[in-house]
Amino acid sequence: MAEKKSLGRAFRLAFPKTIPVLTGFLVLGVAYGLLMSSRGYGPFWSLLFGATAFCGSMQFVAVTFLTGVFQPFQVFLMTLMVNARHLFYGLSMLQKYKGAGKFKFFLIFLMCDETFAINSSVEVPEGVDKKDFYFAVSVYDYSYWLISSFLGGVIGNFFTINTTGLDFALTALFVVLFIEQLKTRKNAVSGIIGIGAASLALLLFGADRFVIPAMGIILLVLLVCSKPIERLDTTHEKGNFEK
């Protein structure tokens, strides 16, 4: 009984933290559902794909694969490149998700950019078990995506909409999340490193192959310079607090 109360409290307190994701996913998920509908896939396909794959950026890319010649190796390679960042998300969340018990599998499967952004930085309210709170955030974000994707598919069945440019909505959300993290978290230096590594990899490897090298550069810099970066980020946070 006490465990159920703790989980219920976690869901109540986690909801306000996920409202920005709800608003973003309403746009992104609907856009994804519309894209699927424009390619002949109804709302239930959008729902099923989101429920089983749950990788927003790759789902947008996969719309093209679904309507073209099936090329398994190309799909595998593209999926690896687009979602390679999740390897780094997982490594950085090992300590936070330690001891998650029965929630461990779900926390791993439900990880996405937005969930990582919240769970990696949020201050868990007092009196709430951390694993319950992380699970609540993950479930909310997952639900938002499924509902909005299904809604987009339904809308696409009734209205003919020009979907040109809708896939850019995902990029726009990433930019907004990145800016918000720079403003609110002690990660300004880390953000600059990310921009620098991505720019360098883009110049060296080109737009089609820079994702994995950029991740490698970021990981290397963070491993080698972790303590100086932490000190700089802490100094930046104190400066923002004093202002």
Side-chain angles (χ1 to χ4, degrees), residues 8-19 118 125 132-138 140 144:
R9 177 175 168 80
F11 269 91
R12 289 194 301 272
L13 296 177
F15 176 70
K17 302 291 184 182
T18 64
I19 290 177
I118 296 175
D132 291 345
F133 192 84
Y134 296 147
F135 177 70
V137 170
S138 302
Y140 274 129
Y144 299 155

Side-chain angles (χ1 to χ4, degrees), residues 11-207:
F11 269 91
R12 289 194 301 272
L13 296 177
F15 176 70
K17 302 291 184 182
T18 64
I19 290 177
V21 178
L22 170 60
T23 57
F25 275 10
L26 280 176
V27 176
L28 286 173
V30 169
Y32 171 69
L34 288 172
L35 284 174
M36 288 284 283
S37 179
S38 69
R39 300 299 193 278
Y41 292 91
F44 287 102
W45 283 106
S46 300
L47 181 66
L48 180 62
F49 202 1
T52 54
F54 190 52
C55 48
S57 51
M58 187 58 207
Q59 286 179 231
F60 275 89
V61 176
V63 173
T64 303
F65 291 131
L66 289 173
T67 55
V69 178
F70 182 54
Q71 298 176 311
F73 180 73
Q74 183 179 352
V75 173
F76 170 78
L77 187 61
M78 180 62 71
T79 303
L80 177 63
M81 293 179 65
V82 171
N83 291 319
R85 65 191 184 280
H86 288 270
L87 297 172
F88 302 91
Y89 292 169
L91 289 172
S92 64
M93 295 298 287
L94 283 175
Q95 192 61 37
K96 284 183 176 289
Y97 285 177
K98 186 177 180 180
K102 62 183 180 182
F103 292 139
K104 186 175 182 180
F105 170 80
F106 296 100
L107 289 172
I108 293 171
F109 175 72
L110 299 181
M111 177 71 75
C112 65
D113 301 272
E114 294 74 18
T115 299
F116 171 77
I118 296 175
N119 285 347
S120 65
S121 60
V122 70
E123 291 291 336
V124 178
E126 291 186 13
V128 177
D129 190 289
K130 289 185 176 181
K131 69 176 185 299
D132 291 345
F133 192 84
Y134 296 147
F135 177 70
V137 170
S138 302
V139 171
Y140 274 129
D141 291 350
Y142 182 63
S143 302
Y144 299 155
W145 179 255
L146 296 186
I147 293 170
S148 58
S149 298
F150 182 78
L151 179 61
V154 171
I155 294 173
N157 276 351
F158 290 97
F159 301 98
T160 301
I161 299 174
N162 184 0
T163 58
T164 303
L166 278 179
D167 50 350
F168 186 75
L170 190 68
T171 304
L173 179 61
F174 288 162
V175 172
V176 171
L177 288 172
F178 177 71
I179 293 173
E180 286 300 314
Q181 290 232 331
L182 286 182
K183 290 166 58 179
T184 60
R185 287 193 61 207
K186 55 174 187 178
N187 63 356
V189 176
S190 301
I192 294 171
I193 291 172
I195 294 174
S199 301
L200 178 62
L202 181 62
L203 289 173
L204 294 177
F205 300 97

Side-chain angles (χ1 to χ4, degrees), residues 210-223:
F210 83 100
V211 176
I212 294 178
M215 292 292 186
I217 296 171
I218 292 171
L219 179 61
L220 180 62
V221 173
L222 292 178
L223 288 175

